[in-house]
Amino acid sequence: MRVNYRSGQWNALVVANVVVVLPPQADGALIADVWNGLSGTTDLGAVVDLLSLGSGGSLAGLPDFAALAIDGSNVRIAVRGIPDVVVSAAHGEEHITGKDVTTWSERLVRDAHRVEVTLQDAAELPLPLVGGIVRVGAVVVETGETSAATSGGGVVRAGNAANQPVVAAAPSAPEEAPVVAPVLAEVPEAEHVPAETPVAGPEEVLAEAPVAEPAIKAESGEHEASGSSADTLLPEDLETEDDVDEFDMLWGATVHKPAVNGSVVSPVGVPVAAGDHDGATISLAEAQALRKGAPVASPEAPTVALPVTPGATIGRIRLSTGQTAELDRTVIVGRRPRSTRASGANLPHLMAVESPQQDISRSHLEIRPEGDTVVVIDLHTTNGSTLLRPGADPVRLHPGEQTLVLSGDTVDLGDGVTIAFEDLP
Amino acid sequence: MTASLVVASGAATHTGVRRSLNEDSYIASAPVFLVADGMGGHQAGERASAAVVESFSTLIGRTALALDDVRHALSRARSAVDELSHADSGRAGTTLSGLVLAAVDGMGYWLVLNIGDSRTYRLADGGLEQISVDHSVVQELIDSGELTASEAAHDRRRNIITRAIGAGSTGDADYWMFPADLGDRMLICSDGLSSEVPDHLIRDILFRESDPRGAARALVDAAVRAGGRDNVTAIVVDAVLVASRPGSPVETDEADIADTRPREAAGGMR
């Protein structure tokens, strides 16, 4: 199977023999569920099950989609709503759409050599893809079962292993550079969708280049909040009579309405790293896996879904008071530190220190693991914080700005309290 | 371990005048103070809210709780509600809001959590501050500027929540953690109170009734008198002893609630 795509706003989930396309506004949790369920599946029924399960089991909540399951030259196709699928087979072309169908269209096409899924006006340049989640406007799958023409860019041999890595061998021509799939950093945010899928320049494309995999949380049941798009969509009219009765509507029974159509579910206060949408960002867990020479070392190696490792240690801080903390999450140090709205996974660790002179602010310094680095932020304190680095002049931290710290650094909060950084990555 | 935060509390609940069942449940026993507002017909809501409260009851009697204690209890609660839904083939669900007593380096802290549209407020320095942020459609509309708070009070979508325990939701909670001050008064309530009684009247009642039990009763009475269209539950929690300095024992030391002093003013070092 060979896959080429042209960039756009739809989400294409591509694994060994299955391609699923979901709308731009698809909920991050749904994408994560489907992605996690895809590995090892070649059964179209299972894929549709995943989608309906992720949509609360209601037909009205089911998003538009296209799903292809490729078994040799036999292609099973399911289409709902907007996607437009054209299959080129030995006996000619078949056109499959979800138009005029309340559920979805399903078809088995034998002796197919090419399937084109069109979603929207797409970028000119077709790009090869082995696996991952990318933002697409169109997807072309060649089954590889006939010698039919290879169209499009540098074609990458997929092999049969499940979940291929995204970056493959160097291209034959510069304009056909392979791409690094944009990272879905938990949450596809509508307003941050890159206009074009970033293309790594040829000089950056190395076989051993780090693979930016979709960063999808594997943690069971705890998909951290998804989809904080600013353009909140209203859940449309309640789906079924069961959802709410007249009495409830009139007299104020609380009704739970699962968010649909990308309606906001997430806490607004969850910190989102700035500049995280350039398509080259990798998560902390991935960075750590890379350092350990994990599965991404070879482009031919099958990609393994990286477990989220909230407990992973990346150094610690030691206060002059004797208190210590592992930097497995954000730490806030102060006289009376506090944490505003956060999800369970993101609630900072609070450390209180005495300040007889009241030199130190209530929430004074934030220490945040950021990728495989650690940054400190002076929280707009009255008296400031000073970075002491051996062999360098003391530096007063700019309030509210991130400053990278290294092992051996010390930050002085005042009132005799200092924080030393140890065993940072 | 010595307590870093000692509280006095009172709670009251009422079915209201329009409903036949009280689907609210609550737990108000240190260190756990939570209100759960169940939903789903045929007693499913009643069972869901009771199951969630039950999941937290094992924490009663502990001195202070950590985030992980709450997350584990929440995880048990989610499983319990899921089982209910399967058993009844219904869509049982519940909100959950409230606080647990926590500590940071010996200082007394409030750890507030919320899922859905029950609420946790803090009365401090004369003002009533809503700590929790509703997981509701109207809250999203307010956040996005499409609706004002006063419009929201009458919006017909005000009862639609976007997150719950059960009912097909992930049930992830939002958390807030901040130091307790001596004299803090916390209010936890179901929407049967906050949708019937405006915030300024809630504030007045909390001011007027010094006893937490009396305050909880007065709030519930006010909601019932205002229409009582929904079940109504209120818990009032007063901080009566707070350790507010790292490592200090519980005592009424109020010195450290002052603002940070500039070094110059403090005759400091640099």
Side-chain angles (χ1 to χ4, degrees):
Chain A
M1 181 178 91
R2 298 164 178 169
V3 180
N4 284 281
Y5 75 97
R6 282 173 291 167
S7 60
Q9 263 89 50
W10 284 61
N11 301 287
L13 291 65
V14 179
V15 299
N17 289 307
V18 179
V19 175
V20 178
V21 179
L22 295 171
Q25 70 273 21
D27 186 67
L30 174 67
I31 293 175
D33 283 347
V34 174
W35 174 258
N36 290 331
L38 275 187
S39 35
T41 298
T42 52
D43 175 16
L44 202 58
V47 174
V48 175
D49 273 355
L50 281 171
L51 282 169
S52 58
L53 211 66
S55 311
S58 126
L59 192 59
L62 196 61
D64 289 0
F65 68 87
L68 316 176
I70 291 106
D71 178 14
S73 64
N74 295 339
V75 182
R76 282 183 188 277
I77 299 148
V79 186
R80 172 177 166 84
I82 292 171
D84 188 90
V85 180
V86 176
V87 187
S88 309
H91 55 276
E93 266 190 6
E94 266 192 70
H95 195 176
I96 303 158
T97 73
K99 280 202 185 75
D100 308 320
V101 181
T102 47
T103 55
W104 61 86
S105 304
E106 220 170 300
R107 200 77 59 84
L108 168 65
V109 180
R110 298 184 193 280
D111 298 323
H113 53 84
R114 185 173 192 277
V115 185
E116 178 154 13
V117 184
T118 308
L119 307 153
Q120 59 181 133
D121 291 338
E124 294 284 311
L125 181 68
L127 301 162
L129 175 67
V130 180
I133 302 179
V134 288
R135 293 286 202 161
V136 303
V139 182
V140 176
V141 178
E142 285 159 3
T143 60
E145 292 299 313
T146 69
S147 56
T150 57
S151 70
V155 173
V156 176
R157 189 69 209 169
N160 291 321
N163 296 351
Q164 293 291 324
V166 176
V167 174
S172 52
E175 70 273 17
E176 296 168 356
V179 298
V180 177
V183 172
L184 276 173
E186 295 185 16
V187 178
E189 290 193 50
E191 71 270 57
H192 292 309
V193 173
E196 295 179 2
T197 304
V199 178
E203 70 282 359
E204 300 165 44
V205 178
L206 299 170
E208 63 272 28
V211 174
E213 290 175 44
I216 298 213
K217 298 196 59 168
E219 207 175 352
S220 65
E222 278 257 5
H223 294 299
E224 283 314 333
S226 56
S228 61
S229 63
D231 51 336
T232 302
L233 299 173
L234 275 181
E236 272 137 21
D237 293 326
L238 293 165
E239 292 157 12
T240 64
E241 294 298 325
D242 292 338
D243 276 325
V244 58
D245 59 31
E246 283 292 308
F247 180 87
D248 283 353
M249 206 47 131
L250 287 171
W251 303 119
T254 299
V255 182
H256 176 259
K257 180 73 172 71
V260 294
N261 294 339
S263 176
V264 174
V265 187
S266 69
V268 176
V270 175
V272 175
D276 214 27
H277 302 281
D278 56 5
T281 311
I282 57 174
S283 74
L284 173 60
E286 290 158 0
Q288 288 167 339
L290 281 171
R291 291 174 151 257
K292 291 175 189 141
V296 287
S298 153
E300 296 304 318
T303 300
V304 177
L306 286 167
V308 171
T309 51
T313 295
I314 56 158
R316 84 184 68 80
I317 54 173
R318 185 178 300 277
L319 276 58
S320 52
T321 56
Q323 294 154 286
T324 63
E326 301 294 317
L327 294 176
D328 57 352
R329 56 167 59 209
T330 296
V331 177
I332 296 176
V333 182
R335 188 158 52 84
R336 289 165 63 76
R338 64 169 55 213
S339 155
T340 53
R341 187 180 184 180
S343 70
N346 291 320
L347 191 74
H349 180 62
L350 304 178
M351 295 180 84
V353 293
E354 274 204 87
S355 179
Q357 302 296 319
Q358 300 200 0
D359 237 12
I360 298 175
S361 290
R362 293 168 180 159
S363 288
H364 195 105
L365 190 75
E366 178 172 331
I367 299 139
R368 187 195 297 167
E370 193 73 73
D372 59 351
T373 62
V374 174
V375 298
V376 294
I377 303 156
D378 176 88
L379 298 171
H380 300 278
T381 58
T382 309
N383 294 313
S385 313
T386 306
L387 173 62
L388 308 170
R389 180 166 293 168
D393 288 335
V395 177
R396 194 178 165 93
L397 298 180
H398 291 287
E401 286 181 22
Q402 300 189 359
T403 304
L404 190 71
V405 289
L406 306 171
S407 287
D409 284 355
T410 301
V411 172
D412 186 352
L413 305 188
D415 237 347
V417 176
T418 58
I419 302 174
F421 294 83
E422 300 178 348
D423 297 334
L424 302 191
Chain B
M1 186 177 146
T2 329
S4 307
L5 173 57
V6 176
V7 299
S9 69
T13 187
H14 196 287
T15 305
V17 298
R18 304 273 190 177
R19 296 178 179 276
S20 53
L21 287 177
N22 190 345
E23 299 192 308
D24 287 359
S25 296
Y26 70 88
I27 181 169
S29 187
V32 192
F33 302 88
L34 299 167
V35 169
D37 177 353
M39 66 203 132
H42 310 293
Q43 300 183 326
E46 198 180 7
R47 292 199 193 109
S49 64
V52 167
V53 161
E54 172 71 26
S55 303
F56 280 85
S57 64
T58 55
L59 301 172
I60 291 175
R62 304 259 299 269
T63 310
L65 299 179
L67 175 65
D68 281 347
D69 297 321
V70 176
R71 294 184 81 187
H72 290 152
L74 198 51
S75 163
R76 288 197 300 273
R78 273 194 288 264
S79 306
V81 172
D82 285 348
E83 273 172 31
L84 277 181
S85 287
H86 290 146
D88 296 359
S89 69
R91 299 213 311 156
T94 181
T95 71
L96 182 68
S97 193
L99 59 89
V100 303
L101 309 185
V104 169
D105 297 309
M107 297 161 66
Y109 268 68
W110 306 113
L111 173 54
V112 170
L113 66 149
N114 185 59
I115 302 167
D117 70 346
S118 296
R119 288 183 177 173
T120 301
Y121 294 86
R122 178 194 208 184
L123 184 73
D125 304 326
L128 183 69
E129 178 194 5
Q130 185 182 333
I131 304 288
S132 60
V133 179
D134 296 350
H135 296 131
S136 68
V137 168
V138 293
Q139 182 64 46
E140 289 175 11
L141 293 171
I142 292 168
D143 291 345
S144 65
E146 290 172 58
L147 211 60
T148 65
S150 55
E151 285 166 354
H154 305 289
D155 194 287
R156 56 183 284 276
R157 294 162 293 191
R158 69 181 179 281
N159 301 318
I160 305 175
I161 62 175
T162 51
R163 218 187 286 183
I165 299 176
S169 173
T170 58
D172 292 332
D174 289 339
Y175 295 93
W176 294 257
M177 189 156 173
F178 49 94
D181 284 330
L182 189 66
D184 275 358
R185 171 167 271 195
M186 308 293 288
L187 166 66
I188 306 149
C189 64
S190 58
D191 66 336
L193 174 64
S194 50
S195 63
E196 294 285 12
V197 184
D199 280 5
H200 70 272
L201 290 181
I202 292 178
R203 196 198 76 116
D204 289 350
I205 293 168
L206 287 172
F207 256 102
R208 195 175 62 229
E209 301 285 340
S210 58
D211 178 64
R213 282 156 299 193
R217 271 197 302 272
L219 288 166
V220 169
D221 285 350
V224 171
R225 275 201 310 276
R229 284 167 288 191
D230 198 353
N231 307 146
V232 49
T233 302
I235 303 176
V236 175
V237 183
D238 291 344
V240 294
L241 290 172
V242 183
S244 57
R245 193 172 281 160
S248 68
V250 155
E251 54 188 11
T252 56
D253 52 354
E254 75 291 344
D256 219 24
I257 59 173
D259 284 330
T260 306
R261 282 190 285 167
R263 281 192 190 119
E264 291 72 25
M269 301 171 288
R270 268 160 280 182

